[in-house]
Amino acid sequence: QESMHAYAANVYTTVIEELMKGKQRKFIAVEQEFFRLWWDMVATDTQKQQVHQLLQEGRLEFVIGGQVMHDEAVTLIDDQILQLTEGHGFLYETFGFRPQFSWHVDPFGASATTPTLFALAGFNAHLISRIDYDLKADMQKNKKLQFVWQGSPSLSERQEIFTHVMDQYSYCTPSQLPFSNRSGFFWNGFATFPDPPKDGVYPNMSLPVTDANLHLYAQTMVANIKERAAWFRTGDVLWPWGCDKQFFNASVQYSNMDLLVDYINKHSAEFGVTVQYATVSDYFQAVYSRNLTWEIRDSQDFLPYSTAWTGFYTSRSTLKGIARRASSLLYAGESFFTQYVRQHPEGSICKCKALKQLQSLRWAVSEVQHHDGITGTESPKVKDMYLNNLMHGMLNVKKLMASIIFDINNAKKNGEVYSSVYTKGSGKPDVDLYVVVYNPLAWNITTFVTVSVSNEAMSVYDELGHSVPAQVQSSMESQSTYDLYILVAISGLSYRKYSIKPLDGKQSAFIGSSIKYKRRDLTRAGQQGRQLFPVVNSCYQIVFDQNTNLMHGITDRETNQTVQFTQEFLEYHVNGDTKKGPISDNYLFAPNASAVSVSKAVGLEVMSGNLVTEIRQYFYSNITSQDYIYAVYTRLYSVPEGYDGKLLCRRIEQEYSVGPLELNREAVLRTSTSLNTKQLLYTDNNGYQMQKRPFKVYVNNTVARNYYPMVQSAYIEDDTTRLMLLAERAHGVSSQGNGQVEVMLHRRLWNNLQWDLNNNLTLNDSSVVRPVIWLILGTKAVTNTLYRTSGLALEHRPVVMFGALSGDKPKLPRRLQQNPVHDLPVTVPPNLHLQTLSIPGWKYSSNHAEQVRSIRMGKQKQGDADFSRVLLRIRHLYEVGEDPVLSQPVMIDLKSLLKGLGSVVAVEERSLTGTWDVNTLERWKWKTAKYPGKRFFNSRETSEDFIVTVHPKEIRTFFVYFQVQ
């Protein structure tokens, strides 16, 4: 909102006005969040008409077209797709416009997922800028800044995309003028906050173009154009004009540039250059028409960016965590609402209000994907805005889900009162409690949900009054409450209802017993022989050393293989004084030296029971310290006969408590094993595909440059055994030694760099963070079958809602016993993921000619959203050749998959964001040595009988229509 007031609204208002004044003028715009604020709040009817006209003439062009320009390192693929889909839906509904080019100039490093996503969205070319400086210099020298990128090894040439890397000048105009000490080409100066200057005079306004300096200006511009031309294979030079926060006074910008453009073109024979205003589309069209043969780049990404830009992989861990919880709640809310609309056409909930509740969270999750959002590279007040918007959207969706349960179960009539939807940690009074648990995944799940209760003596029952396995134990959070673990088994996209009653003499929950071990002094631990004790479930035996209270080893009980396994918290001490050397900040990680151990003493408590064993370790700075900054809670699960406990048994769940840190400390958890990994680490790109990360030694910054983002998963392995880490938020991760993996969990920094101080980017984050990581240890074959489903099970844990029961009721009402959502669960095989099931609400026609016609005639549908169109995405989780069974293509019958929602009458296969019919989408095919023919990519037909074959790594998007009830 401040940016809108200070400059952003003026960008659109003045650019539109100036474009109307000169047919040669052009402009590109990226982020829809700003444009939509202008369109909804500022634009007049005349300006709106002019936007339509300029888009039709190709003089205004939207590139990327998402809500934001998303970060590439720490975002999840689902959220990237969401924010693109949000922006594209608006552009197509409003203008019939579909972006076909990217302009990903500012994210800090480039992921190999992005080219695949943009190809799936129908783009013809991709443009990036921030990659490692040394690599860029090398590519520039050898004219290799342009290539055809096959981002996905499995989709390879089918979803390849031509990619342009900007040269060393990046995406801003080089502003140095040899004939003046004032900058050039930024004639409107730089935006001021919070208010525009009253007299219209901005700081750093460039020297205006006059008769006296026109030739000198032209010489400067031509020299730069020629310098760049030498770095590319064609004579077409992309010369970016603008930068961050520019064009808020487009009149002074264009009037000066017009003079330059005209002058250079009048003297083109002398200069050897002609110039024109252009959009990204114009540039790529020029390069494409040269018909050259391009080199192929494989699926290697461009991370990390530059020498020390690895701090932001962890910065503002709380924001990273809440952004992912919000995304997961949105995912659950979308499918829950979609089922409600389909199955309860007569339901009493206002659908338009419900859609607005979902939209508030769609917008909040979309905007935080910005490359200065989830990255943690914003000032505290902007971080607070993101958090407020996320929390507001989450509250809306929780209210919606509660009201749907209300409505389905007709709660008002049978005396049930849902006070609200609570999440874990709301200690409820001693009334009969209902817990409604929704499984948002399209697989049957068996897992534990935790409820905070005030009493140890509890019984848990399902809808039919059968006793449910549960365990209660003293809470790790507080002295006065207890954690109740309930074992839930729930079909795909279904919910179950459990009642929790104070003990009534019948079956009670198991009560976990506690053993507290003596606090151990690590400085003296080496003096006596080891005293080991085991903690066991049916998959693992974890051994602890009683002399140190630390983990010692893990045995995989299936293979009887034992791996030495120790964990410790360490801190990197970093410099905050620019006079003393490199600093760490929100972006950068610049450790002074190796990490140092934080604790000299460890306390241990073991809570054991029939279902859950929880090992609580507290790390103290010395043997007499009162308080700890670090703790680990490790949980092992056991599942009774009759339940499918494979995933549960195989995961070692760890929750960490870290903070508040001291200033200029970066906290890591280092896990050291006996695996001979040769310091090779694997980390994911955006939860979509894995990247190989061999350890490299550099002259400077070796520690920081070997850090990579872990968005959802990372692993180390030797010839036989793999240790897999699964995360519910992004972290920096590294292997600084053989058999080691370390995860950065938290950062607290301050520095005196003037730029950081001016922008309040010093990351003085005094919070306590509580991240969760699941560990899976086993053979490659076993971990391969588990890690995709487990990663998604961690991402999309069941949504737990509470209701208190008022009045005495012997039994639940009849309707509940046949749980209506439970009748026909939606389930896919374990190598597929139902990535989206939602009602977008867009009013556009899926027939392009019809959509364009209705917009040109001003007949866009007003009024209510469209609730008949369901958006479905299915993703294949495996790469070609990754697993003998799970890497196979899967045939799926959409009619039968969705029969629980009604009778499917039509399915249209669409591009990733829904705006293209895949049968009419023809992307440019760029020539490569391997594929010399120049042609268009043609997508395949969707079969008439609703049967679709999904191949490895494909993401298939459909509009589904059901018979009207």
Side-chain angles (χ1 to χ4, degrees):
Q1 292 294 349
E2 281 184 12
S3 295
M4 285 298 286
H5 171 71
Y7 77 94
N10 290 335
V11 174
Y12 288 110
T13 301
T14 66
V15 163
I16 298 307
E17 186 183 348
E18 290 307 308
L19 290 178
M20 296 306 292
K21 290 180 184 170
K23 280 282 184 212
Q24 78 285 10
R25 295 172 171 180
K26 298 193 175 185
F27 192 78
I28 62 165
V30 177
E31 300 183 310
Q32 292 310 302
E33 176 135 338
F34 280 114
F35 179 76
R36 289 172 81 166
L37 286 170
W38 177 79
W39 184 258
D40 291 337
M41 314 280 196
V42 180
T44 63
D45 286 347
T46 304
Q47 286 165 333
K48 288 183 175 183
Q49 274 314 112
Q50 290 170 338
V51 170
H52 278 280
Q53 182 188 331
L54 291 165
L55 282 169
Q56 278 172 37
E57 291 173 4
R59 298 201 294 116
L60 173 65
E61 177 172 84
F62 290 112
V63 288
I64 310 176
Q67 283 292 93
V68 295
M69 185 190 295
H70 67 253
D71 168 67
E72 300 197 33
V74 298
T75 45
L76 195 61
I77 183 171
D78 308 58
D79 302 330
Q80 297 177 347
I81 294 171
L82 171 77
Q83 76 86 19
L84 278 175
T85 303
E86 272 298 290
H88 287 188
F90 164 76
L91 286 175
Y92 193 54
E93 183 167 274
T94 314
F95 306 111
F97 183 87
R98 302 179 283 200
Q100 288 192 274
F101 301 93
S102 95
W103 182 259
H104 248 228
V105 295
D106 211 17
F108 324 128
S111 159
T113 307
T114 316
T116 303
L117 287 193
F118 287 161
L120 289 166
F123 286 18
N124 288 320
H126 176 37
L127 185 148
I128 62 178
S129 180
R130 292 185 188 262
I131 65 167
D132 183 80
Y133 297 144
D134 299 336
L135 179 60
K136 180 180 277 198
D138 188 59
M139 291 166 79
Q140 192 168 280
K141 191 175 81 203
N142 295 305
K143 296 196 180 189
K144 294 197 172 190
L145 289 168
Q146 295 171 318
F147 47 85
V148 169
W149 196 355
Q150 296 183 349
S152 160
S154 296
L155 300 174
S156 63
E157 74 275 2
R158 284 188 297 142
Q159 300 301 342
E160 69 190 16
I161 192 165
F162 182 80
T163 303
H164 171 103
V165 183
M166 289 196 140
D167 59 44
Q168 68 187 48
Y169 291 106
S170 193
Y171 65 92
C172 293
T173 316
S175 58
Q176 212 117 31
L177 296 178
F179 55 91
S180 161
N181 56 6
R182 280 169 68 183
S183 69
F185 308 103
F186 293 99
W187 293 286
N188 57 192
F190 289 90
T192 61
F193 282 78
D195 299 305
K198 296 268 185 289
D199 58 2
V201 177
Y202 284 83
N204 298 347
M205 290 172 78
S206 290
L207 196 64
V209 176
T210 60
D211 287 348
N213 66 25
L214 179 57
H215 186 74
L216 297 168
Y217 245 123
Q219 276 180 322
T220 305
M221 187 167 166
V222 166
N224 184 259
I225 290 169
K226 286 182 165 172
E227 181 187 7
R228 291 174 145 175
W231 300 329
F232 291 93
R233 291 179 58 202
T234 77
D236 315 292
V237 179
L238 188 157
W239 201 77
W241 174 40
C243 195
D244 299 12
K245 304 181 180 69
Q246 283 296 312
F247 284 91
F248 46 84
N249 178 352
S251 163
V252 63
Q253 288 283 84
Y254 280 108
S255 57
N256 279 282
M257 188 55 93
D258 280 350
L259 297 169
L260 261 176
V261 168
D262 289 348
Y263 183 80
I264 293 171
N265 288 340
K266 278 203 183 87
H267 300 87
S268 61
E270 172 194 337
F271 285 125
V273 166
T274 59
V275 289
Q276 65 175 75
Y277 290 112
T279 61
V280 182
S281 164
D282 294 333
Y283 171 70
F284 280 124
Q285 186 76 60
V287 177
Y288 183 62
S289 63
R290 303 265 179 181
N291 208 10
L292 299 183
T293 300
W294 300 96
E295 280 189 10
I296 291 174
R297 179 183 176 87
D298 66 11
S299 57
Q300 188 58 46
D301 64 8
F302 291 97
L303 288 165
Y305 165 55
S306 168
T307 51
W309 287 63
T310 56
F312 79 91
Y313 302 159
T314 307
S315 296
R316 299 207 191 284
S317 179
T318 302
L319 175 64
K320 286 176 164 65
I322 289 176
R324 287 273 281 274
R325 295 304 321 127
S327 157
S328 173
L329 180 68
L330 176 63
Y331 175 76
E334 296 279 14
S335 64
F336 203 59
F337 176 64
T338 303
Q339 292 183 86
Y340 173 76
V341 169
R342 295 292 331 133
Q343 294 165 346
H344 299 272
E346 304 302 307
S348 67
I349 290 174
C350 166
K351 291 189 294 205
C352 290
K353 181 187 170 194
L355 193 61
K356 284 198 168 65
Q357 289 173 307
L358 285 166
Q359 279 168 338
S360 71
L361 191 52
R362 289 177 191 169
W363 271 57
V365 173
S366 292
E367 75 177 6
V368 78
Q369 307 311 317
H370 187 281
H371 58 274
D372 281 314
I374 196 167
T375 49
T377 54
E378 64 284 273
S379 69
K381 71 175 180 188
V382 178
K383 172 214 52 168
D384 291 341
M385 175 204 76
Y386 285 125
L387 284 173
N388 290 340
N389 291 350
L390 288 165
M391 301 304 268
H392 173 70
M394 287 170 83
L395 188 63
N396 279 336
V397 170
K398 286 174 177 177
K399 282 180 181 163
L400 171 61
M401 293 180 78
S403 58
I404 287 175
I405 287 172
F406 233 158
D407 193 59
I408 291 176
N409 292 324
N410 234 337
K412 300 176 195 71
K413 288 182 195 159
N414 52 39
E416 222 173 291
V417 178
Y418 285 88
S419 10
S420 174
V421 183
Y422 301 100
T423 47
K424 182 180 161 182
S426 51
K428 302 299 299 152
D430 285 315
V431 290
D432 281 10
L433 253 187
Y434 279 117
V435 185
V436 176
V437 184
Y438 177 62
N439 167 23
L441 289 165
W443 302 312
N444 301 341
I445 60 157
T446 302
T447 191
F448 283 96
V449 296
T450 317
V451 178
S452 189
V453 293
S454 52
N455 189 333
E456 252 191 334
M458 288 283 168
S459 304
V460 182
Y461 300 98
D462 67 11
E463 300 95 331
L464 301 175
H466 297 146
S467 177
V468 174
Q471 178 174 322
V472 65
Q473 61 196 39
S474 65
S475 168
M476 56 181 196
E477 300 273 330
S478 82
Q479 309 301 297
S480 57
T481 61
Y482 296 89
D483 292 334
L484 175 65
Y485 289 85
I486 304 171
L487 182 63
V488 298
I490 312 179
S491 310
L493 267 55
S494 302
Y495 71 83
R496 298 282 308 267
K497 198 163 174 190
Y498 301 92
S499 54
I500 302 170
K501 300 175 193 284
L503 193 57
D504 52 10
K506 292 206 291 273
Q507 171 92 37
S508 78
F510 298 117
I511 295 181
S513 59
S514 155
I515 304 172
K516 278 200 170 75
Y517 291 83
K518 201 173 132 197
R519 192 186 294 189
R520 292 298 183 178
D521 187 338
L522 297 182
T523 57
R524 304 176 48 199
Q527 293 159 16
Q528 39 312 42
R530 289 219 160 87
Q531 281 184 284
L532 304 176
F533 71 89
V535 175
V536 183
N537 73 358
S538 47
C539 295
Y540 299 112
Q541 170 175 288
I542 305 181
V543 176
F544 286 82
D545 182 344
Q546 238 170 290
N547 292 327
T548 58
N549 286 340
L550 294 174
M551 209 182 274
H552 177 68
I554 302 180
T555 302
D556 174 356
R557 296 185 63 191
E558 192 178 329
T559 60
N560 228 5
Q561 170 121 20
T562 299
V563 175
Q564 285 171 1
F565 197 98
T566 56
Q567 291 186 310
E568 60 178 332
F569 287 108
L570 303 149
E571 285 175 350
Y572 287 100
H573 292 204
V574 295
N575 166 44
D577 184 354
T578 51
K579 294 190 193 70
K580 291 185 181 157
I583 50 111
S584 269
D585 64 8
N586 300 48
Y587 308 89
L588 308 175
F589 171 40
N592 286 347
S594 300
V596 293
S597 189
V598 294
S599 64
K600 296 200 169 58
V602 181
L604 177 70
E605 181 181 6
V606 177
M607 305 294 304
S608 49
N610 300 34
L611 302 175
V612 185
T613 304
E614 182 175 73
I615 301 105
R616 303 173 179 177
Q617 291 166 292
Y618 304 96
F619 293 77
Y620 298 92
S621 55
N622 60 56
I623 194 77
T624 56
S625 307
Q626 290 301 300
D627 296 318
Y628 57 88
I629 293 178
Y630 293 90
V632 185
Y633 307 97
T634 303
R635 298 180 196 105
L636 268 190
Y637 296 107
S638 301
V639 179
E641 286 291 303
Y643 285 88
D644 174 13
K646 189 176 67 191
L647 285 185
L648 252 183
C649 171
R650 266 282 169 193
R651 70 177 180 244
I652 300 168
E653 180 172 307
Q654 291 199 312
E655 184 174 350
Y656 312 101
S657 174
V658 180
L661 300 177
E662 289 175 45
L663 266 182
N664 288 326
R665 299 286 187 270
E666 317 222 10
V668 302
L669 176 82
R670 181 177 291 166
T671 301
S672 303
T673 70
S674 54
L675 299 178
N676 180 19
T677 62
K678 306 186 173 63
Q679 258 183 290
L680 177 60
L681 173 70
Y682 294 82
T683 69
D684 66 333
N685 273 163
N686 317 103
Y688 179 66
Q689 62 193 40
M690 299 305 291
Q691 291 277 350
K692 201 173 187 170
R693 311 291 193 190
F695 190 86
K696 296 177 185 153
V697 178
Y698 298 94
V699 179
N700 294 315
N701 293 351
T702 290
V703 171
R705 290 180 79 170
N706 280 286
Y707 257 81
Y708 295 94
M710 163 174 71
V711 177
Q712 205 171 42
S713 52
Y715 64 87
I716 54 173
E717 64 183 15
D718 64 12
D719 295 339
T720 58
T721 307
R722 180 183 289 170
L723 171 66
M724 194 89 210
L725 282 67
L726 301 170
E728 40 73 81
R729 69 187 70 179
H731 299 277
V733 61
S734 185
S735 178
Q736 298 283 339
N738 189 25
Q740 281 183 3
V741 58
E742 65 181 55
V743 180
M744 191 180 287
L745 298 174
H746 201 11
R747 323 177 70 216
R748 184 180 183 185
L749 309 168
W750 191 87
N751 69 73
N752 58 8
L753 182 70
Q754 204 49 53
W755 192 85
D756 280 341
L757 293 174
N758 294 350
N759 292 286
N760 201 352
L761 285 175
T762 55
L763 201 67
N764 188 354
D765 181 350
S766 58
S767 63
V768 175
V769 296
R770 301 293 299 263
V772 172
I773 287 179
W774 289 359
L775 307 173
I776 301 175
L777 181 73
T779 61
K780 292 181 190 181
V782 166
T783 52
N784 241 351
T785 59
L786 295 175
Y787 83 100
R788 301 275 184 196
T789 38
S790 296
L792 285 158
L794 174 56
E795 190 66 39
H796 298 298
R797 287 165 285 186
V799 178
V800 180
M801 295 169 272
F802 295 93
L805 183 66
S806 62
D808 298 316
K809 272 204 317 178
K811 204 164 176 219
L812 294 179
R814 281 239 75 78
R815 287 241 351 233
L816 267 186
Q817 292 177 18
Q818 295 84 39
N819 172 355
V821 178
H822 200 201
D823 285 348
L824 289 166
V826 179
T827 45
V828 296
N831 50 356
L832 294 189
H833 171 43
L834 188 78
Q835 185 161 324
T836 309
L837 181 67
S838 74
I839 293 179
W842 304 310
K843 300 189 280 274
Y844 62 69
S845 165
S846 53
N847 176 314
H848 183 62
E850 205 173 285
Q851 173 63 6
V852 170
R853 195 161 52 243
S854 70
I855 286 171
R856 296 225 165 136
M857 296 175 68
K859 284 189 186 151
Q860 289 118 298
K861 299 193 186 101
Q862 297 306 316
D864 283 355
D866 178 358
F867 291 95
S868 66
R869 174 188 292 155
V870 170
L871 174 67
L872 170 74
R873 280 194 196 93
I874 296 174
R875 163 155 66 108
H876 196 302
L877 294 173
Y878 283 81
E879 298 284 359
V880 168
E882 186 180 356
D883 183 273
V885 177
L886 296 168
S887 292
Q888 297 302 318
V890 184
M891 271 177 82
I892 193 153
D893 181 341
L894 298 181
K895 206 176 171 91
S896 129
L897 174 71
L898 300 172
K899 64 179 183 291
L901 277 73
S903 175
V904 174
V905 292
V907 172
E908 301 166 353
E909 183 160 6
R910 308 292 292 185
S911 60
L912 183 70
T913 58
T915 53
W916 294 86
D917 173 344
V918 292
N919 300 308
T920 60
L921 172 58
E922 293 192 334
R923 292 197 307 118
W924 296 353
K925 177 83 180 88
W926 297 71
K927 260 170 49 172
T928 59
K930 207 168 157 193
Y931 302 97
K934 186 177 164 190
R935 59 181 197 284
F936 292 113
F937 276 107
N938 240 331
S939 303
R940 79 201 135 243
E941 299 276 322
T942 313
S943 62
E944 286 306 298
D945 51 2
F946 307 115
I947 290 174
V948 177
T949 302
V950 188
H951 292 269
K953 289 324 264 189
E954 282 188 336
I955 303 172
R956 304 282 290 277
T957 304
F958 305 94
F959 288 164
V960 183
Y961 303 89
F962 295 86
Q963 202 164 350
V964 179
Q965 288 152 303

